[in-house]
Amino acid sequence: MNAPLLKIDQLSASAGGAPVLHGVSLEVNAGEVHAIMGPNGSGKSTLAHVLAGRPGYVITGGTVRFDGADLLALPAEERARAGLFLGFQYPVEIPGVSNAYLLKAALNACRRQRGEQDIDAFDFLNLVRDKMRTMHIDEALLTRGVNEGFSGGEKKRNEILQMLVMEPRLALLDETDSGLDIDALKIVGRGINSLRAAERAVVVITHYQRLLDYVVPDQVHVLARGRIVRSGDRALALELERRGYDWLLEAAPAMA
Amino acid sequence: MKALERILADFGSPADAGPARLAAAEALSTHALPTRRDENWRYANLRALEAVRTFLPGPAPSISPALPPALPGYSRLVFIDGRLQPQHSLPDTALLGSLRRSAAGSADAGPVPFAFSGDGRFGLIARMFAPEPIALRVAGSLALELISITTAQACGSYLELDLELAAHAQLELVERHLGGAGPTGLSCVQVDLQLAEQAQSTHTRLLQGAPDALHYDTVAVTVGAGAQYLLRQVSAGAQTARSTIQVRLSGREARTQIRALATAHEAQVCDALFTVLHEAPGTRSDQLFRGIASDRAHVACSADVQVSAGAPGARVVQSLRGLIDGAGAEVDLRPRLTINTDEVQAAHGATTGRLDEDLLFYLLARGLSPVEARSLLKWAFLAEALNAIDAPALRRAAGQGAAARLADTPATELLQ
Ligand SMILES: Nc1ncnc2c1ncn2[C@@H]1O[C@H](COP(=O)(O)OP(=O)(O)OP(=O)(O)O)[C@@H](O)[C@H]1O
Ligand SMILES: [Mg+2]
């Protein structure tokens, strides 16, 4: 009943032959928002990718349970359908595949998982238009190729749009706030908040505490050199903004 | 006996052959067929010719073919094994009036090196054997669909078309090459198309022969001043297919745009040569090729653009891309650009690779299955070439044909 939605236990992983994650442990309960901060290259995106099931990483230790199931045993698409959403730090462009097609395919994949029928074309349009308004995305982008020629900010808002359409149990948002202007940041913040619910959780990876003004986290973690070196409440983000990471890195021994 | 000798022996010395046929046979025996030592034929499967049992055209077929639905606004001519089937055709009276069926064919055009000693030599076989060559002169505007069906008679199926567009004439030409399953023989097609000044033609070619067919076709186009030739070609048929296309931009400001795609799987071989000759000032060519080889298939495309000294101000755009989708699959792209004058603007690129893992993962992370994700990306890869076909019915048919030769078939809702 009270088991965490996501439970990462001593997770270690390597990428391209080099160890990147060194025993990460983290628990996220339903209803919570967590923020992960940390210096460049500390392993934040690696953690997100490993959780989402991207090929090319070798898990060298540890376990991850998501909603009670062994997450690492599932292929990427089943993790997504089970309700784990990754908002990409660098969303890719897919010319020739329309945004509308992808949104619908993603939604139907989730619906089938829940034993529901594919969405009717009319209902789909209504739903997407509604979410697009929330995200201030021009409807013309529906018929364009996925992220094709989108501005940096449009790509990030499009990630949140996909998230809103898929309604995941857990959203892992990798620097969705990077490169956004002030207004777009508010829009993205509002989008994330609109998903918050007792049965869902959000993990935002960010370099700036600014997003956390809009999406207020229950916990803040610092990932450095592949491990979580400190966790705290919102105040930790403010402290990091003031002091940087050096004081924490000195405390954390470098891995051999 | 080698294929060439057998072709000539099968042709014999027919008493009723007109001068064009005799000239074709003569040229073939003088210049022989290309071999893989020829630069432009390195990837063509010429050995397959040796297995052809007879080069003679088959007897009049008796089948009732399953034809695709009529295209609105188009006249239709149906050929089975090279023989015109009036009962299945839908010609309007204007078309019938201008149709000349004569073996004289293009003899009056005089020998051109492309056809007689160059890359167009395969067209000679079509000219020698075509039972009913078609010659047509278009003055106003015409929309014409030619359906050529090769049946499983294991004989030759030959088609020769000679089309001439008068000044300002307009031709929408659709060629569909289909085939029944079974041991089909050789299918050889020769198309000559001449556009006088300001004429316009969109030429859509769907090559969807039977899976074990042998198909060699030759298209020679001359584009006059201010005229425009648009080619859309979808090569998705036959065990072995080779297309040899030459577009001569012979008049000032003549233009061509080529959108071609090829898909092949299993052990199929699909090879094409596109030659564009810029011979006059201000001419433009824009060429795009997309090819996918799955399983152990081989897709090849040579694109040769030559800008002569007499073509200052020419503009050339060329984009060739290949996708390898099987452990034993192969794609060979050979772009060539020869420029013999100043003031030419040219943009070209050729790349071959496998499906992008980053794009695949993005789709998986949105819950799509690996099969769905892969087919979606392949579809996207072909989209630019396919979407150049305007008529929805044709585009769908072309898409279905192309999809049938992918390792995994895309969702039908993508075939819009
Ligand atoms: N495929 C790979 N091959 C080799 N090294 C890799 C690979 N993927 C990640 N790494 C390395 O792992 C380390 C962590 O990278 P990661 O992208 O997870 O960092 P990050 O914390 O997200 O950084 P940033 O804040 O810059 O986004 C880096 O040193 C990176 O170079
Ligand atoms: Mg990162």
Side-chain angles (χ1 to χ4, degrees):
Chain A
M1 180 67 193
N2 290 332
L5 181 60
L6 178 73
K7 182 171 166 46
I8 305 174
D9 193 15
Q10 288 296 316
L11 180 65
S12 295
S14 58
V20 179
L21 299 180
H22 304 279
V24 173
S25 294
L26 180 67
E27 289 187 13
V28 179
N29 294 307
E32 293 179 347
V33 173
H34 289 227
I36 297 179
M37 305 182 79
N40 293 130
S42 58
K44 303 182 297 297
S45 293
T46 302
L47 176 62
H49 286 151
V50 165
L51 293 177
R54 187 183 196 119
Y57 298 95
V58 179
I59 312 293
T60 51
T63 58
V64 180
R65 298 200 78 78
F66 175 62
D67 206 10
D70 178 2
L71 186 73
L72 301 178
L74 300 176
E77 70 277 13
E78 286 181 27
R79 300 184 198 191
R81 292 175 200 162
L84 185 127
F85 179 89
L86 170 63
F88 284 72
Q89 182 174 3
Y90 304 109
V92 294
E93 299 197 11
I94 316 182
V97 176
S98 80
N99 227 3
Y101 183 88
L102 177 59
L103 284 166
K104 197 165 164 193
L107 174 58
N108 282 333
C110 297
R111 289 172 66 102
R112 279 173 217 156
Q113 176 84 4
R114 298 193 292 257
E116 295 167 22
Q117 296 248 303
D118 281 5
I119 192 165
D120 146 285
F122 188 73
D123 293 340
F124 170 72
L125 263 186
N126 280 340
L127 176 105
V128 168
R129 285 199 177 122
D130 177 52
K131 310 281 186 200
M132 288 182 100
R133 269 192 298 275
T134 307
M135 293 314 297
H136 291 236
I137 296 177
D138 189 341
E139 258 187 49
L141 297 195
L142 262 187
T143 53
R144 295 245 300 264
V146 174
N147 293 322
E148 188 182 4
F150 286 22
S151 74
E154 283 170 341
K155 283 181 185 167
K156 295 302 180 76
R157 274 182 282 153
N158 202 34
E159 292 292 290
I160 299 297
L161 172 66
Q162 292 172 357
M163 176 187 84
L164 294 183
V165 167
M166 291 175 79
E167 300 188 308
R169 297 286 313 279
L170 175 72
L172 269 173
L173 305 176
D174 192 356
E175 296 200 27
T176 305
D177 55 336
S178 297
L180 294 180
D181 66 38
I182 309 280
D183 293 332
L185 187 70
K186 279 187 202 163
I187 293 164
V188 162
R190 218 181 297 139
I192 298 170
N193 285 332
S194 76
L195 192 81
R196 293 183 71 164
E199 72 277 15
R200 296 184 218 284
V202 179
V203 175
V204 294
I205 294 171
T206 181
H207 285 294
Y208 308 103
Q209 89 84 32
R210 226 177 32 174
L211 174 72
L212 307 182
D213 288 341
Y214 303 104
V215 183
V216 180
D218 298 290
Q219 286 188 51
V220 175
H221 311 275
V222 178
L223 188 71
R225 294 182 186 141
R227 47 172 51 177
I228 289 181
V229 295
R230 180 153 312 206
S231 298
D233 61 13
R234 244 199 106 191
L236 177 57
L238 292 165
E239 187 173 7
L240 291 169
E241 184 115 304
R242 262 201 338 270
R243 297 178 65 187
Y245 293 109
D246 281 351
W247 60 287
L248 282 171
L249 294 180
E250 279 153 26
M255 292 302 293
Chain B
M1 262 201 290
K2 290 230 161 268
L4 175 64
E5 291 160 36
R6 289 174 43 227
I7 292 169
L8 294 168
D10 283 350
F11 182 69
S13 40
D16 59 340
R21 287 182 169 204
L22 292 174
E26 167 116 19
L28 195 64
S29 81
T30 308
H31 299 287
L33 283 171
T35 71
R36 292 188 74 157
R37 283 187 298 278
D38 287 287
E39 184 68 6
N40 288 333
W41 294 83
R42 271 177 50 190
Y43 299 110
N45 182 2
L46 297 168
R47 240 194 342 233
L49 275 180
E50 305 296 336
V52 172
R53 273 193 280 164
T54 172
F55 291 92
L56 289 171
S62 53
I63 63 151
S64 192
L67 295 170
L71 294 172
Y74 278 73
S75 296
R76 171 180 273 184
L77 295 178
V78 175
F79 296 82
I80 298 182
D81 292 336
R83 295 175 198 275
L84 183 60
Q85 309 291 303
Q87 74 278 24
H88 297 301
S89 299
L90 305 163
D92 62 22
T93 40
L95 174 63
L96 281 177
S98 56
L99 213 70
R100 287 182 281 123
R101 284 196 245 162
S102 83
S106 37
D108 43 357
V112 282
F114 174 70
F116 284 83
S117 57
D119 289 318
R121 275 172 285 169
F122 259 95
L124 296 171
I125 308 176
R127 188 166 292 175
M128 286 159 63
F129 290 107
E132 303 192 44
I134 294 290
L136 192 60
R137 188 181 151 83
V138 180
S141 73
L142 175 66
L144 175 62
E145 181 194 28
L146 291 159
I147 296 182
S148 167
I149 298 171
T150 301
T151 63
Q153 297 194 93
C155 305
S157 168
Y158 303 100
L159 204 58
E160 185 188 1
L161 308 167
D162 186 2
L163 300 159
E164 220 180 293
L165 270 67
H168 299 276
Q170 304 211 344
L171 172 66
E172 296 284 329
L173 177 63
V174 173
E175 258 182 85
R176 302 173 86 161
H177 297 275
L178 309 171
T184 57
L186 171 70
S187 151
C188 235
V189 179
Q190 154 79 29
V191 180
D192 260 296
L193 181 56
Q194 307 214 13
L195 281 73
E197 75 227 34
Q198 305 292 339
Q200 297 201 346
S201 181
T202 302
H203 186 182
T204 305
R205 313 189 73 223
L206 308 189
L207 312 178
Q208 298 176 318
D212 33 12
L214 266 184
H215 180 94
Y216 297 85
D217 61 28
T218 309
V219 178
V221 185
T222 306
V223 188
Q228 172 174 287
Y229 174 69
L230 308 179
L231 174 64
R232 280 81 181 90
Q233 175 163 302
V234 176
S235 188
Q239 170 59 39
T240 286
R242 157 75 183 210
S243 289
T244 306
I245 312 248
Q246 187 196 68
V247 181
R248 281 178 59 209
L249 302 172
S250 66
R252 197 172 264 278
E253 290 179 8
R255 292 182 185 197
T256 187
Q257 188 200 52
I258 297 170
R259 296 286 177 265
L261 71 88
T263 54
H265 68 156
E266 295 166 353
Q268 292 159 345
V269 180
C270 187
D271 164 46
L273 165 68
F274 298 91
T275 306
V276 177
L277 306 174
H278 287 257
E279 298 179 344
T283 45
R284 286 194 198 184
S285 67
D286 173 357
Q287 191 179 348
L288 179 140
F289 174 85
R290 300 287 180 262
I292 302 181
S294 309
D295 306 326
R296 293 154 289 141
H298 189 177
V299 169
C301 174
S302 302
D304 185 12
V305 180
Q306 300 173 25
V307 182
S308 77
R315 289 213 236 160
V316 179
V317 178
Q318 192 184 59
S319 159
L320 315 177
R321 287 177 60 194
L323 185 60
I324 299 168
D325 190 40
E330 196 179 331
V331 174
D332 289 288
L333 304 179
R334 305 213 309 149
R336 266 173 301 158
L337 180 56
T338 315
I339 299 180
N340 294 310
T341 181
D342 298 333
E343 296 174 62
V344 170
Q345 288 182 35
H348 60 126
T351 54
T352 299
R354 293 180 180 270
L355 281 181
D356 186 322
E357 294 295 330
D358 288 341
L359 303 196
L360 271 175
F361 176 64
Y362 191 83
L363 297 175
L364 298 183
R366 297 300 174 252
L368 277 70
S369 71
V371 170
E372 210 176 348
R374 296 182 70 83
S375 61
L376 191 57
L377 290 180
K378 284 182 226 172
W379 207 244
F381 177 83
L382 297 175
E384 206 176 344
L386 200 56
N387 290 341
I389 301 175
D390 283 331
L394 274 182
R395 190 168 60 241
R396 232 181 344 262
Q400 276 158 356
R405 307 225 302 179
L406 296 176
D408 27 41
T409 309
T412 45
E413 59 186 298
L414 292 173
L415 304 171
Q416 302 280 314

